[in-house]
Amino acid sequence: MEPTCWFIIRSFEAVCMNQKRPSWDEYFMMLAKLAASRSTCLSRPTGAVVVNDKQVITTGYNGSLPGQKHCMDDGVCFRRSLKWPEAMKYDMCRSAHAEANAISLAAKKGVSLEGSTIYCTLEPCITCSKLIVMSGIARVVYEHPYDSPIPERDQYWKDVLALSRTTVEQIIIHDETMENALQFMSSDTSKRRL
């Protein structure tokens, strides 16, 4: 009986060893992407995950404030429906950004973010950059650059983070890692394989 048990354990290890595990950065970015699936923004669904010592502290996604209407429910972007100018877009946007939601949740629960890393599916805007700096987050890892129609404004956001000595890195999740992760999203994730 004991050799059979040993064989099953060894076989399972062999199966697991053939799968590519994501790096920690890829893993946390995929969690941020999963958080974005809760977004109610029609323009740019985004997600964020704050991590310290390889432990998730808080998550966030962009969406309307609690109890208020969502653009997704109306089927139209509120700000764009008003034809509000790009340079003043945050004045009339219903959504709080993913980073702001994640940082606010930590503050609401009394959790320090000092020295942590935030994983964002989109490079942070100026408002979120300020919140990141003020909350003590030390590292920003993002997937997509913000690329607004006002490049000077985008550069200012980057400068704010650089001057605060916040490390900023872009990550691209490898296709192989994403394909492997998608297999785990199917309904049979934890069915017996051996």
Side-chain angles (χ1 to χ4, degrees), residues 123-124 138-142 158 161-162 165-170:
E123 190 175 20
R139 182 173 173 240
V140 175
V141 180
Y142 70 92
K158 293 172 196 218
L161 290 170
R165 297 190 177 133
T166 304
T167 303
V168 180
E169 303 169 37
Q170 184 177 16

Side-chain angles (χ1 to χ4, degrees), residues 79-80 83-91 146-150 153-154 157:
R79 177 185 63 87
R80 285 189 175 88
K83 301 187 183 340
W84 210 250
E86 174 70 26
M88 299 169 58
K89 68 182 183 177
Y90 297 122
D91 295 343
Y146 198 91
D147 70 349
S148 79
I150 307 173
R153 181 178 64 187
D154 295 351
W157 302 344

Side-chain angles (χ1 to χ4, degrees), residues 23-113:
S23 69
W24 284 109
D25 283 341
E26 288 174 321
Y27 171 70
F28 292 124
M29 183 58 73
M30 287 189 289
L31 290 179
K33 291 168 82 65
L34 188 59
S37 71
R38 292 278 308 148
S39 172
T40 61
C41 179
L42 297 173
S43 177
R44 284 186 167 184
T46 61
V49 174
V50 181
V51 174
N52 202 348
D53 294 327
K54 298 181 183 170
Q55 296 294 310
V56 173
I57 304 300
T58 184
T59 65
Y61 53 88
N62 59 334
S64 297
L65 303 178
Q68 297 188 18
K69 292 178 80 174
H70 298 285
C71 294
M72 178 183 276
D73 297 337
D74 289 345
V76 63
C77 172
F78 179 72
R79 177 185 63 87
R80 285 189 175 88
S81 72
L82 299 174
K83 301 187 183 340
W84 210 250
E86 174 70 26
M88 299 169 58
K89 68 182 183 177
Y90 297 122
D91 295 343
M92 293 304 285
C93 180
R94 283 181 175 163
S95 289
H97 289 184
E99 303 91 330
N101 273 326
I103 292 168
S104 296
L105 179 60
K108 186 176 180 179
K109 300 295 181 181
V111 177
S112 173
L113 302 180

